[in-house]
Short mmCIF file of all heavy atoms in Angstrom, two decimals:
data_model
loop_
_atom_site.label_atom_id
_atom_site.label_comp_id
_atom_site.label_asym_id
_atom_site.label_seq_id
_atom_site.Cartn_x
_atom_site.Cartn_y
_atom_site.Cartn_z
N LEU E 107 -12.06 -17.78 33.37
CA LEU E 107 -10.63 -17.58 33.56
C LEU E 107 -10.32 -16.38 34.44
O LEU E 107 -9.36 -16.39 35.22
CB LEU E 107 -9.92 -17.45 32.20
CG LEU E 107 -9.35 -18.76 31.63
CD1 LEU E 107 -10.44 -19.81 31.47
CD2 LEU E 107 -8.65 -18.51 30.32
N THR E 108 -11.14 -15.34 34.33
CA THR E 108 -10.97 -14.17 35.19
C THR E 108 -11.22 -14.53 36.64
O THR E 108 -10.48 -14.12 37.55
CB THR E 108 -11.91 -13.04 34.74
OG1 THR E 108 -11.60 -12.65 33.40
CG2 THR E 108 -11.78 -11.83 35.65
N ASP E 109 -12.27 -15.33 36.89
CA ASP E 109 -12.56 -15.78 38.25
C ASP E 109 -11.41 -16.64 38.78
O ASP E 109 -11.00 -16.51 39.95
CB ASP E 109 -13.85 -16.60 38.28
CG ASP E 109 -15.10 -15.75 38.05
OD1 ASP E 109 -15.00 -14.51 38.16
OD2 ASP E 109 -16.16 -16.34 37.75
N LEU E 110 -10.88 -17.51 37.92
CA LEU E 110 -9.77 -18.37 38.33
C LEU E 110 -8.54 -17.55 38.70
O LEU E 110 -7.89 -17.80 39.72
CB LEU E 110 -9.44 -19.33 37.19
CG LEU E 110 -8.24 -20.28 37.38
CD1 LEU E 110 -8.54 -21.27 38.50
CD2 LEU E 110 -7.93 -21.02 36.08
N ALA E 111 -8.23 -16.55 37.86
CA ALA E 111 -7.07 -15.70 38.13
C ALA E 111 -7.24 -14.95 39.45
O ALA E 111 -6.30 -14.85 40.25
CB ALA E 111 -6.86 -14.72 36.98
N ARG E 112 -8.43 -14.42 39.68
CA ARG E 112 -8.69 -13.70 40.93
C ARG E 112 -8.54 -14.62 42.14
O ARG E 112 -7.90 -14.26 43.14
CB ARG E 112 -10.09 -13.09 40.89
CG ARG E 112 -10.41 -12.27 42.14
CD ARG E 112 -11.83 -11.73 42.14
NE ARG E 112 -12.79 -12.82 42.12
CZ ARG E 112 -13.60 -13.08 41.09
NH1 ARG E 112 -13.55 -12.33 39.99
NH2 ARG E 112 -14.46 -14.09 41.15
N ASP E 113 -9.10 -15.83 42.04
CA ASP E 113 -9.06 -16.76 43.17
C ASP E 113 -7.62 -17.19 43.49
O ASP E 113 -7.30 -17.47 44.66
CB ASP E 113 -9.90 -18.00 42.87
CG ASP E 113 -11.39 -17.70 42.80
OD1 ASP E 113 -11.79 -16.61 43.26
OD2 ASP E 113 -12.14 -18.54 42.26
N ARG E 114 -6.76 -17.22 42.47
CA ARG E 114 -5.38 -17.68 42.68
C ARG E 114 -4.39 -16.52 42.81
O ARG E 114 -3.19 -16.74 42.92
CB ARG E 114 -4.96 -18.59 41.53
CG ARG E 114 -5.77 -19.86 41.44
CD ARG E 114 -5.09 -20.90 40.57
NE ARG E 114 -5.84 -22.14 40.51
CZ ARG E 114 -5.36 -23.31 40.10
NH1 ARG E 114 -4.07 -23.38 39.73
NH2 ARG E 114 -6.09 -24.39 40.05
N GLY E 115 -4.90 -15.30 42.79
CA GLY E 115 -4.02 -14.15 42.94
C GLY E 115 -3.10 -13.93 41.77
O GLY E 115 -1.98 -13.42 41.92
N ILE E 116 -3.55 -14.28 40.58
CA ILE E 116 -2.74 -14.12 39.36
C ILE E 116 -3.05 -12.77 38.72
O ILE E 116 -4.21 -12.35 38.65
CB ILE E 116 -3.02 -15.28 38.38
CG1 ILE E 116 -2.59 -16.60 39.02
CG2 ILE E 116 -2.32 -15.06 37.05
CD1 ILE E 116 -2.92 -17.83 38.20
N GLY E 117 -2.01 -12.10 38.23
CA GLY E 117 -2.12 -10.70 37.84
C GLY E 117 -2.93 -10.40 36.60
O GLY E 117 -3.59 -9.35 36.54
N ALA E 118 -2.92 -11.26 35.58
CA ALA E 118 -3.57 -10.91 34.31
C ALA E 118 -4.00 -12.17 33.58
O ALA E 118 -3.41 -13.24 33.72
CB ALA E 118 -2.62 -10.10 33.43
N VAL E 119 -5.05 -12.00 32.79
CA VAL E 119 -5.52 -13.05 31.88
C VAL E 119 -5.15 -12.61 30.46
O VAL E 119 -5.39 -11.46 30.08
CB VAL E 119 -7.04 -13.26 32.00
CG1 VAL E 119 -7.52 -14.32 30.99
CG2 VAL E 119 -7.42 -13.67 33.42
N LEU E 120 -4.57 -13.53 29.69
CA LEU E 120 -4.06 -13.20 28.36
C LEU E 120 -4.72 -14.06 27.29
O LEU E 120 -5.04 -15.23 27.52
CB LEU E 120 -2.55 -13.44 28.29
CG LEU E 120 -1.69 -12.86 29.41
CD1 LEU E 120 -0.22 -13.20 29.14
CD2 LEU E 120 -1.88 -11.36 29.54
N ASP E 121 -4.88 -13.48 26.09
CA ASP E 121 -5.30 -14.27 24.95
C ASP E 121 -4.24 -14.19 23.85
O ASP E 121 -3.26 -13.45 23.97
CB ASP E 121 -6.68 -13.84 24.42
CG ASP E 121 -6.68 -12.54 23.63
OD1 ASP E 121 -5.60 -11.95 23.39
OD2 ASP E 121 -7.77 -12.10 23.23
N GLY E 122 -4.42 -14.98 22.79
CA GLY E 122 -3.41 -15.08 21.75
C GLY E 122 -3.70 -14.27 20.51
O GLY E 122 -3.10 -14.55 19.45
N SER E 123 -4.54 -13.26 20.59
CA SER E 123 -4.81 -12.42 19.43
C SER E 123 -3.52 -11.78 18.93
O SER E 123 -2.67 -11.37 19.73
CB SER E 123 -5.81 -11.31 19.78
OG SER E 123 -7.05 -11.87 20.17
N ASN E 124 -3.37 -11.69 17.60
CA ASN E 124 -2.16 -11.10 17.04
C ASN E 124 -2.50 -9.94 16.11
O ASN E 124 -3.68 -9.62 15.90
CB ASN E 124 -1.33 -12.16 16.31
CG ASN E 124 -2.06 -12.75 15.13
OD1 ASN E 124 -2.33 -12.07 14.14
ND2 ASN E 124 -2.38 -14.04 15.19
N ALA E 125 -1.49 -9.32 15.54
CA ALA E 125 -1.69 -8.11 14.74
C ALA E 125 -2.52 -8.35 13.49
O ALA E 125 -3.17 -7.44 12.98
CB ALA E 125 -0.33 -7.51 14.36
N ASP E 126 -2.53 -9.58 12.98
CA ASP E 126 -3.32 -9.89 11.78
C ASP E 126 -4.81 -10.00 12.07
O ASP E 126 -5.62 -10.05 11.14
CB ASP E 126 -2.83 -11.20 11.15
CG ASP E 126 -1.45 -11.07 10.54
OD1 ASP E 126 -1.05 -9.93 10.23
OD2 ASP E 126 -0.78 -12.10 10.37
N ASP E 127 -5.17 -10.08 13.34
CA ASP E 127 -6.59 -10.23 13.70
C ASP E 127 -7.35 -8.91 13.66
O ASP E 127 -8.58 -8.92 13.69
CB ASP E 127 -6.72 -10.84 15.10
CG ASP E 127 -6.21 -12.27 15.16
OD1 ASP E 127 -6.39 -13.00 14.17
OD2 ASP E 127 -5.62 -12.66 16.19
N VAL E 128 -6.65 -7.82 13.60
CA VAL E 128 -7.31 -6.51 13.60
C VAL E 128 -8.11 -6.34 12.32
O VAL E 128 -7.64 -6.62 11.22
CB VAL E 128 -6.27 -5.37 13.71
CG1 VAL E 128 -6.95 -4.01 13.60
CG2 VAL E 128 -5.50 -5.49 15.02
N GLY E 129 -9.36 -5.90 12.46
CA GLY E 129 -10.19 -5.64 11.30
C GLY E 129 -11.08 -6.79 10.91
O GLY E 129 -12.03 -6.62 10.14
N ASP E 130 -10.83 -8.01 11.43
CA ASP E 130 -11.70 -9.15 11.15
C ASP E 130 -12.96 -9.04 12.01
O ASP E 130 -13.00 -8.27 12.97
CB ASP E 130 -10.95 -10.45 11.46
CG ASP E 130 -11.62 -11.68 10.88
OD1 ASP E 130 -12.57 -11.50 10.09
OD2 ASP E 130 -11.20 -12.81 11.21
N HIS E 131 -14.00 -9.80 11.63
CA HIS E 131 -15.23 -9.84 12.42
C HIS E 131 -14.96 -10.69 13.65
O HIS E 131 -14.90 -11.91 13.58
CB HIS E 131 -16.37 -10.44 11.59
CG HIS E 131 -17.66 -10.61 12.34
ND1 HIS E 131 -18.40 -9.54 12.80
CD2 HIS E 131 -18.33 -11.73 12.73
CE1 HIS E 131 -19.48 -9.98 13.42
NE2 HIS E 131 -19.46 -11.31 13.40
N ARG E 132 -14.76 -10.04 14.80
CA ARG E 132 -14.33 -10.75 16.00
C ARG E 132 -15.15 -10.31 17.21
O ARG E 132 -14.66 -9.57 18.09
CB ARG E 132 -12.84 -10.51 16.25
CG ARG E 132 -11.94 -11.09 15.16
CD ARG E 132 -10.49 -10.75 15.39
NE ARG E 132 -9.99 -11.26 16.65
CZ ARG E 132 -9.57 -12.52 16.82
NH1 ARG E 132 -9.61 -13.37 15.82
NH2 ARG E 132 -9.11 -12.93 17.98
N PRO E 133 -16.41 -10.76 17.30
CA PRO E 133 -17.23 -10.39 18.48
C PRO E 133 -16.64 -10.91 19.78
O PRO E 133 -16.90 -10.36 20.84
CB PRO E 133 -18.59 -11.02 18.17
CG PRO E 133 -18.33 -12.06 17.12
CD PRO E 133 -17.18 -11.54 16.32
N GLY E 134 -15.82 -11.98 19.69
CA GLY E 134 -15.20 -12.48 20.90
C GLY E 134 -14.24 -11.48 21.52
O GLY E 134 -13.99 -11.52 22.73
N ALA E 135 -13.71 -10.57 20.70
CA ALA E 135 -12.80 -9.55 21.22
C ALA E 135 -13.53 -8.61 22.17
O ALA E 135 -12.93 -8.05 23.10
CB ALA E 135 -12.16 -8.77 20.08
N VAL E 136 -14.82 -8.41 21.95
CA VAL E 136 -15.62 -7.57 22.85
C VAL E 136 -15.70 -8.21 24.23
O VAL E 136 -15.54 -7.54 25.25
CB VAL E 136 -17.03 -7.34 22.27
CG1 VAL E 136 -17.88 -6.53 23.23
CG2 VAL E 136 -16.95 -6.67 20.91
N ALA E 137 -15.93 -9.52 24.25
CA ALA E 137 -15.97 -10.24 25.52
C ALA E 137 -14.64 -10.17 26.24
O ALA E 137 -14.58 -10.03 27.46
CB ALA E 137 -16.37 -11.69 25.28
N ALA E 138 -13.55 -10.25 25.48
CA ALA E 138 -12.22 -10.15 26.08
C ALA E 138 -12.03 -8.77 26.72
O ALA E 138 -11.53 -8.66 27.85
CB ALA E 138 -11.15 -10.40 25.03
N GLU E 139 -12.44 -7.74 26.00
CA GLU E 139 -12.30 -6.38 26.54
C GLU E 139 -13.14 -6.20 27.80
O GLU E 139 -12.69 -5.58 28.78
CB GLU E 139 -12.72 -5.37 25.47
CG GLU E 139 -12.54 -3.92 25.90
CD GLU E 139 -12.89 -2.93 24.80
OE1 GLU E 139 -13.16 -3.38 23.66
OE2 GLU E 139 -12.93 -1.72 25.08
N GLU E 140 -14.35 -6.75 27.80
CA GLU E 140 -15.23 -6.62 28.97
C GLU E 140 -14.64 -7.31 30.20
O GLU E 140 -14.95 -6.91 31.33
CB GLU E 140 -16.60 -7.21 28.65
CG GLU E 140 -17.41 -6.39 27.65
CD GLU E 140 -18.72 -7.04 27.26
OE1 GLU E 140 -18.93 -8.22 27.62
OE2 GLU E 140 -19.53 -6.37 26.60
N ASN E 141 -13.81 -8.31 29.97
CA ASN E 141 -13.21 -9.04 31.08
C ASN E 141 -11.76 -8.65 31.33
O ASN E 141 -11.04 -9.34 32.05
CB ASN E 141 -13.30 -10.54 30.83
CG ASN E 141 -14.70 -11.10 31.04
OD1 ASN E 141 -15.10 -11.40 32.16
ND2 ASN E 141 -15.46 -11.21 29.96
#
Side-chain angles (χ1 to χ4, degrees):
L107 266 58
T108 298
D109 290 344
L110 177 66
R112 182 183 61 247
D113 292 345
R114 297 196 178 197
I116 296 175
V119 178
L120 311 180
D121 75 4
S123 298
N124 64 66
D126 291 338
D127 293 325
V128 176
D130 194 10
H131 176 67
R132 295 176 61 82
V136 177
E139 183 177 353
E140 290 175 350
N141 285 277

